[in-house]
Amino acid sequence: MRSLRVLGVDPGLTRCGVGVVEGMVGRPLDLVDVGVVRTPADLDLAKRLLRLERALDDLVVRLRPDVVAVERVFSQQNVRSVMGTAQASGIAMLVAARHGIPVQLHTPSEVKAAVTGSGRADKAQVTAMVTRLLRLDAPPKPADAADALALAICHLWRGSAQNRLAAAVAAAGGTR
């Protein structure tokens, strides 16, 4: 089994967290890159989306992930906020598809459970575990960056297991 490089994307228009982690189940994980793509709130929406697309495209070309893990958008009270999140999520999926990279969506509770063991963990617990799992000297900041790394870790652990299960079922001639 080979190491997998995962780009985690915590979608947002003002701040879009991005984090790349490399590793495999049962082995220490390595931080490849982490950051936040920012767009000014007073900029025209189409231009904000274009800036996000360009930044994500540059990241994909430079870091060459095997898969992109994006946080699944869920309904919130603030419709305006969820719209921006959904638009940023769509841009991340579009960039991945353009480069032929598979995309997987993970819910916030899936990510929390994968990283901390509890789907109800708070941001501080998730950040603490990301810091520990990646053997970092300090927690990644801002929270969007830590969340993106948590998404990548979640996919490395959960997605890999799901892919192996699907491959075993297919090899056995069954359907899932």
Side-chain angles (χ1 to χ4, degrees):
M1 184 181 343
R2 73 174 189 82
S3 184
L4 194 64
R5 184 174 279 201
V6 180
L7 166 59
V9 179
D10 181 36
L13 269 181
T14 304
R15 288 182 324 274
C16 181
V18 291
V20 179
V21 175
E22 192 165 331
M24 62 174 52
V25 176
R27 301 267 187 218
L29 304 174
D30 294 312
L31 170 66
V32 176
D33 195 49
V34 64
V36 174
V37 177
R38 299 175 191 270
T39 65
D42 60 350
L43 191 63
D44 175 68
L45 175 61
K47 290 181 179 160
R48 292 177 79 188
L49 293 170
L50 182 60
R51 279 193 187 181
L52 178 59
E53 183 273 337
R54 286 180 176 158
L56 291 175
D57 196 73
D58 288 347
L59 194 68
V60 164
V61 168
R62 183 169 49 89
L63 299 173
R64 305 174 58 90
D66 298 304
V67 66
V68 175
V70 180
E71 184 174 275
R72 183 181 298 275
V73 178
F74 63 98
S75 180
Q76 299 172 335
Q77 297 287 342
N78 185 343
V79 174
R80 189 174 188 163
S81 173
V82 81
M83 284 297 294
T85 303
Q87 290 164 331
S89 179
I91 294 295
M93 290 187 275
L94 170 95
V95 168
R98 179 187 302 131
H99 290 277
I101 302 169
V103 175
Q104 291 293 314
L105 302 175
H106 298 282
T107 66
S109 57
E110 266 183 281
V111 174
K112 292 173 185 179
V115 174
T116 70
S118 169
R120 295 177 178 253
D122 62 25
K123 282 199 177 281
Q125 291 169 309
V126 171
T127 299
M129 283 306 296
V130 165
T131 303
R132 186 172 174 194
L133 292 168
L134 294 175
R135 302 170 315 280
L136 304 176
D137 294 332
K141 292 190 179 185
D144 309 278
D147 290 347
L149 291 171
L151 273 153
I153 293 168
C154 171
H155 185 76
L156 275 166
W157 288 353
R158 290 186 146 212
S160 297
Q162 290 168 345
N163 292 344
R164 285 193 310 277
L165 179 60
V169 168
T175 58
R176 209 172 136 194

